[in-house]
Amino acid sequence: QVQLVESGGGLVQTGGSLRLACAASGRTFSNYAAAWFRQPPGKERMFLAGISGSGAIRHYTGSVKGRFTISRDNAKNTVYLQMNSLKPEDTAVYYCAADPLLCSSNTCNYDYWGQGTQVTVSS
């Protein structure tokens, strides 16, 4: 079992930045790929960014490429999502997920999920 806890969400103005963190516990975290998803109100969950267990491979969806950066610190069992140039359409609940295999699409069925953290971007 892997337990995931997100933090760092909140209210920010357009153009601002936030860094989300996802703390993992339970198993050797470097054995797991990790990803960030989000779910805006009334919409389906979408993939944002994924990172391999070592951190060597990173994937992004087009709408956040260049604005968001995924990273991880396996010594701290934590994955991060640095979000810059935030827009109102970035408002959503953000989830981190982990799985032995890196998957980078909206239909990924990761084994483990956090509870989510709300990000609200005001105009």
Side-chain angles (χ1 to χ4, degrees):
Q1 289 286 337
V2 175
Q3 292 79 42
L4 302 172
V5 179
E6 302 97 335
S7 62
L11 175 64
V12 64
Q13 291 185 335
T14 296
S17 298
L18 282 176
R19 188 176 80 154
L20 305 183
C22 174
S25 62
R27 291 193 175 178
T28 304
F29 192 48
S30 59
N31 290 340
Y32 291 83
W36 286 94
F37 293 75
R38 72 184 179 195
Q39 187 165 17
K43 297 184 179 180
E44 294 187 350
R45 185 179 66 200
M46 64 176 290
F47 169 83
L48 299 176
I51 188 168
S52 61
S54 67
I57 301 171
R58 306 182 194 195
H59 295 156
Y60 297 92
T61 194
S63 61
V64 305
K65 196 174 294 185
R67 296 192 301 127
F68 291 8
T69 302
I70 189 171
S71 62
R72 67 190 297 160
D73 184 341
N74 286 335
K76 296 182 178 180
N77 289 341
T78 302
V79 176
Y80 303 96
L81 186 68
Q82 177 67 44
M83 305 187 295
N84 299 327
S85 303
L86 284 163
K87 308 172 183 179
E89 51 265 42
D90 293 318
T91 295
V93 178
Y94 284 68
Y95 298 92
C96 70
D99 193 273
L101 298 177
L102 178 62
C103 175
S104 304
S105 75
N106 294 341
T107 58
C108 293
N109 189 22
Y110 276 69
D111 282 346
Y112 304 103
W113 293 84
Q115 82 289 349
T117 186
Q118 176 71 45
V119 171
T120 303
V121 184
S122 63
S123 57

